[in-house]
Amino acid sequence: MSLLKKGKLTFLQLLEASGASSWLSGTAWRRDRLLILCYHGVARFDEAEWDPLYLPAATFRRRMELVAEAGCTVLPLAEALERLHQHTLPERAVAITFDDGFLDFYLVALPVLESFGYPVTLYLTTYYVDYNRPVFDPMVGYLLWKGREKGVLDWPEVSAQPYTLDPPGCSAAARAIKRFALDRKLSGREKDELLARLAGQLGVDYEELCQRRMLHLVNPEEAADMGARGVDLELHTHRHREYRGRVRMLGELEDNRRRLATFSPREPKHFCYTGGMHLPQYPDYLKSYGLLSATTCESGLCEVSTNPYLLPRLVDTQALTDLEFRSWLAGTPHFLPTRPYYPAEGQLLEDPDPAA
Ligand SMILES: [Zn+2]
């Protein structure tokens, strides 16, 4: 643990032990702010050992208990944003969001949320709902991690250079494989075949992973069931990609909206940037498309003056301690420096036609 993190935890501990944190959580200052929580995945198998964005199921349940113990009110996102602007938020207002729509949300997280009676927004990307196979980008990373004991990936089809399968080598190999697929404009099926060949190179049983639906999104029936159960399905682009130009970017949103409309009668009005990637022109695009908000992965509390198309969220990961999580519910980290967020690579595609 870094010295800065140690110092920060000591300070938060002090604020909590002295009662300052609890005092702040009951003030008008906190009541005028909204904390939006952001989750990506809750492990069904060994995902939490691979990626800190995946929480073990017990950790996710404990976080939801901490929300209840802190006396927070969990509101649907749309209501929370409306009330933020009307200055009528309840004490310690929280909204809960999940990104992407992986199967683990449906099977593990949703039953936990329902048991607490918490409303939830799911930013659902839809391409892999229809093509219900492993999502390419995360599966590349997962396979490399799974096959790391092989030591080296020597795969001339994709790269002349062999990669050592330690964490930096796995990252470099993942970048090369994703670049290979992008440059050749591989279709979903071709990327799936590439994943199968990668698994073969690494001695990992790909079909067994597919049978368990590892890193699959929900399928159309499961998405419709979530809509029926009151999950707020919102926009996250169809192909989990963003473009600089308005036409292509709005095309992604429109493809996504059309698919969402088949799962839920509620018109989606909120968006989440893929991989936290946003450009200065996006708020204008989203507003012109009739959307009311967009969330980022930058941490912070939302205030009435926050740009509604650049809403910060607390990205909850395994790196966050319970103390830090409780402190965010109270609002204290607002007064501490936060680490900048670096968007995931490969989210932004250049427009094929610069005039688009
Ligand atoms: Zn995403």
Side-chain angles (χ1 to χ4, degrees):
M1 192 186 291
S2 73
L3 262 181
L4 188 68
K5 171 117 175 168
K6 263 189 197 155
K8 191 170 159 182
L9 289 179
T10 309
F11 186 63
L12 291 175
Q13 185 75 60
L14 190 71
L15 290 176
E16 199 171 83
S18 67
S21 209
S22 150
W23 169 81
L24 184 72
S25 80
T27 58
W29 178 89
R30 173 65 179 92
R31 204 163 47 242
D32 251 356
R33 282 163 179 80
L34 168 69
L35 179 67
I36 306 177
L37 298 176
C38 162
Y39 292 93
H40 282 86
V42 181
R44 291 163 64 217
F45 303 106
D46 56 359
E47 302 94 319
E49 293 160 51
W50 156 61
D51 184 345
L53 273 178
Y54 262 88
L55 294 188
T59 305
F60 179 67
R61 176 172 279 282
R62 191 171 69 246
R63 299 288 214 242
M64 295 303 103
E65 275 162 7
L66 292 176
V67 169
E69 281 167 20
C72 296
T73 306
V74 182
L75 296 172
L77 180 69
E79 180 187 336
L81 293 173
E82 253 177 60
R83 291 175 67 175
L84 172 67
H85 287 274
Q86 294 160 351
H87 297 276
T88 59
L89 282 175
E91 291 200 325
R92 296 171 289 277
V94 169
I96 300 174
T97 64
F98 266 76
D99 291 8
D100 304 322
F102 282 97
L103 182 60
D104 54 86
F105 169 78
Y106 179 70
L107 294 181
V108 187
L110 183 57
V112 173
L113 291 160
E114 286 177 335
S115 74
F116 282 90
Y118 294 158
V120 63
T121 290
L122 175 66
Y123 295 111
L124 181 60
T125 182
T126 35
Y127 177 86
Y128 278 103
V129 172
D130 295 333
Y131 183 60
N132 208 241
R133 294 289 289 177
V135 181
F136 182 72
D137 280 14
M139 195 55 154
V140 168
Y142 179 77
L143 286 176
L144 290 165
W145 173 80
K146 200 76 180 157
R148 66 197 179 284
E149 272 166 25
K150 198 165 180 288
V152 175
L153 173 69
D154 190 2
W155 194 14
E157 179 191 349
V158 168
S159 170
Q161 170 200 347
Y163 293 96
T164 309
L165 295 174
D166 53 9
C170 284
S171 302
R175 271 199 300 276
I177 296 164
K178 290 175 202 171
R179 176 51 54 196
F180 176 87
L182 263 182
D183 288 348
R184 282 159 190 76
K185 297 191 167 52
L186 297 188
S187 66
R189 185 170 297 278
E190 288 166 332
K191 286 201 276 190
D192 191 53
E193 288 161 5
L194 188 67
L195 286 173
R197 293 204 294 283
L198 172 62
Q201 290 287 328
L202 295 163
V204 176
D205 187 342
Y206 188 60
E207 270 320 301
E208 192 261 339
L209 292 175
C210 291
Q211 274 162 25
R212 288 197 269 141
R213 297 180 67 197
M214 176 61 93
L215 295 176
H216 283 51
L217 297 191
V218 292
N219 63 30
E221 294 72 41
E222 290 154 348
D225 182 44
M226 291 194 294
R229 280 156 73 174
V231 175
D232 170 35
L233 301 178
E234 299 289 346
L235 297 156
H236 196 41
T237 77
H238 183 55
R239 293 167 195 82
H240 210 271
R241 288 284 184 265
E242 295 178 353
Y243 294 88
R244 281 180 201 283
R246 181 186 296 265
V247 172
R248 291 294 300 252
M249 183 69 177
L250 295 190
E252 267 303 327
L253 292 176
E254 184 57 19
D255 289 348
N256 194 202
R257 191 193 63 76
R258 280 209 200 110
R259 288 304 290 134
L260 292 182
T262 66
F263 307 139
S264 167
R266 284 169 53 172
E267 178 83 359
K269 286 281 176 198
H270 304 272
F271 177 66
C272 169
Y273 297 107
T274 63
M277 170 69 219
H278 54 90
L279 296 176
Q281 60 267 40
Y282 286 168
D284 175 49
Y285 293 179
L286 300 174
K287 198 173 175 184
S288 72
Y289 190 64
L291 299 188
L292 301 177
S293 83
T295 47
T296 69
C297 294
E298 280 127 56
S299 43
L301 293 154
C302 304
E303 307 176 10
V304 75
S305 60
T306 307
N307 183 330
Y309 301 98
L310 293 171
L311 297 173
R313 295 185 292 175
L314 174 64
V315 181
D316 192 3
T317 73
Q318 288 179 51
L320 208 68
T321 64
D322 280 357
L323 169 66
E324 286 173 289
F325 187 80
R326 285 194 306 269
S327 304
W328 271 106
L329 298 176
T332 44
H334 173 85
F335 302 99
L336 299 178
T338 50
R339 255 183 309 176
Y341 175 81
Y342 300 103
E345 286 173 26
Q347 293 307 314
L348 183 68
L349 292 193
E350 295 304 326
D351 299 322
D353 171 9

